[in-house]
Amino acid sequence: MSASQRPLLFDSHAHLVAHDQTRYPRNPMQRAADAPYRPPGVIGRPGGHHGPNPINEVPDAEPMLRWMREENVDGAVAVQKRMVYRYDNSYILDSSDAHPDIFSAVVILDAEDPGTPELVRRWVRDHGLAGLRLFGGRKPDGSMPWLNSPQALKSWEVINEAGLVMDLEVLAQGGGGPSIPAIIELSERYPNARIVLDHLLEPELHDGEHFGLDERWETLAGRERIFFKFTSINLDHCREEGYPAKQVLRRAVDLFGADHVMWGSDIGTSSGTYKDMVQRMIDASDLLTPAEQRAVWHDTGRRVFVKGGHVNAGGKGSKAGS
């Protein structure tokens, strides 16, 4: 299918990884010795299911631009790849500076670092930052107190002041359900922040009615500034665990509304060619109406991450610090 035959899409979750390892040296994270085995993705052993014969394309910005043109994707949220670069966001910021009409930068920073709030404030000014992803340590019980720690709240304040996106991957054992009360409290405390929850908070696909989007997820419905990404990770879970992706997506749209659900490829972590990722999402959308498809494939992601019709405000075009 040619680009002209593809529906218009916006990719809300693309992990850019540079071919140039001299200018952008990799500093891969090492998984704990007792961490569960996960098949290899672009590097190391990242999250997601990869199937028996994973295909991994390195999503450098230049081939990404070509793949996006081929698949009729008019913009992408460039999400920092922590497994590759940790907290050095140089490549994400440089790519969005070089292509401000295409790439929107979502950086990853340490929630407990006292320098994070001011760094975010500076990058909002200098690079037209679109959003922030925070990370921190995990306790033995799987909880992540950094989400709303006193230090993390200082970064929430910066995002709230700027009216930007707080992009969250908050996964405990058994999915993101345990984090939902804290997310709701934060959404009420910071009403100008748009909260985007990656991979639907990875619900456990344990029944044929709600597909893990149970009464805990139902408390998130109807909240104007909380949004959800449906990504290749969700599609992989459906494939590997034997659940119908189109019914899972239908449940998500019924619960949250198509104006609160957006597609993301997860290229750079999930396996598969970009063409395959686009086609799998299109195939999973059979139970949506044409209006719902347009929203999930394109309009919701662009509306949430793009200001004034542009993916970001542009930058200075120079290599960013970290």
Side-chain angles (χ1 to χ4, degrees):
M1 183 181 292
S2 67
S4 62
Q5 296 171 307
R6 286 286 196 198
L8 185 64
L9 296 105
F10 179 88
D11 188 347
S12 69
H13 200 87
H15 295 290
L16 300 186
V17 178
H19 285 315
D20 185 347
Q21 296 187 44
T22 301
R23 187 178 183 189
Y24 304 103
R26 298 183 182 184
N27 184 22
M29 297 183 66
Q30 302 300 313
R31 292 177 60 81
D34 59 349
Y37 172 75
R38 290 175 177 174
V42 170
I43 67 101
R45 293 177 177 173
H49 293 263
H50 298 277
N53 299 298
I55 298 172
N56 296 301
E57 298 180 317
V58 178
D60 181 274
E62 292 309 312
M64 268 295 293
L65 291 168
R66 182 177 72 253
W67 299 336
M68 290 168 65
R69 287 193 299 270
E70 292 170 352
E71 301 308 314
N72 203 26
V73 179
D74 73 353
V77 180
V79 180
Q80 167 74 352
K81 181 66 176 173
R82 189 173 69 117
M83 284 290 296
V84 176
Y85 298 118
R86 305 198 190 201
Y87 298 127
D88 180 354
N89 291 271
S90 298
Y91 190 56
I92 290 296
L93 293 173
D94 283 356
S95 296
S96 65
D97 284 351
H99 306 282
D101 295 329
I102 302 296
F103 293 130
S104 168
V106 169
V107 298
I108 290 179
L109 292 170
D110 185 347
E112 298 303 301
D113 186 338
T116 290
E118 185 52 40
L119 190 56
V120 173
R121 188 173 284 109
R122 175 157 59 86
W123 285 350
V124 169
R125 181 186 67 240
D126 294 346
H127 299 281
L129 198 66
L132 170 65
R133 229 178 170 198
L134 293 173
F135 272 95
R138 184 184 302 227
K139 288 190 172 183
D141 65 359
S143 64
M144 287 162 277
W146 55 262
L147 174 63
N148 54 0
S149 70
Q151 183 60 52
L153 294 182
K154 296 177 183 178
S155 293
W156 277 92
E157 290 170 2
V158 175
I159 293 300
N160 188 64
E161 290 167 4
L164 298 180
V165 171
M166 185 65 84
D167 193 321
L168 296 178
E169 182 179 39
V170 189
L171 303 180
Q173 187 66 32
S179 67
I180 288 175
I183 291 170
I184 291 174
E185 191 278 330
L186 288 163
S187 72
E188 293 171 349
R189 182 169 182 171
Y190 300 106
N192 293 324
R194 284 162 286 160
I195 298 175
V196 178
L197 304 178
D198 292 339
H199 322 305
L200 298 180
L201 276 182
E202 290 199 43
E204 290 189 298
L205 301 174
H206 55 67
D207 64 68
E209 180 181 2
H210 301 310
F211 301 107
L213 297 168
D214 56 27
E215 64 275 2
R216 295 170 298 173
W217 272 260
E218 289 171 358
T219 64
L220 295 168
R223 296 182 182 273
E224 181 182 358
R225 301 184 75 80
I226 297 181
F227 303 86
F228 301 82
K229 294 181 188 177
F230 187 86
T231 70
S232 296
I233 282 184
N234 300 112
L235 291 167
D236 286 349
H237 279 301
C238 291
R239 181 189 63 202
E240 301 299 325
E241 298 170 36
Y243 289 90
K246 60 182 65 178
Q247 291 184 27
V248 175
L249 179 57
R250 179 71 261 174
R251 164 62 175 166
V253 170
D254 285 342
L255 184 57
F256 305 121
D259 59 346
H260 281 69
V261 177
M262 64 189 78
W263 169 68
S265 70
D266 196 47
I267 186 78
T269 292
S270 293
S271 291
T273 67
Y274 198 68
K275 180 182 293 291
D276 288 342
M277 291 178 174
V278 170
Q279 187 60 55
R280 290 175 68 201
M281 183 61 194
I282 292 172
D283 292 344
S285 304
D286 283 353
L287 299 182
L288 304 186
T289 68
E292 289 170 336
Q293 289 174 345
R294 286 193 298 273
V296 172
W297 292 342
H298 179 272
D299 294 355
T300 300
R302 176 163 281 279
R303 174 171 52 85
V304 171
F305 281 100
V306 177
K307 287 191 171 183
H310 295 283
V311 175
N312 63 33
K316 304 302 182 183
S318 60
K319 191 173 188 296
S322 63

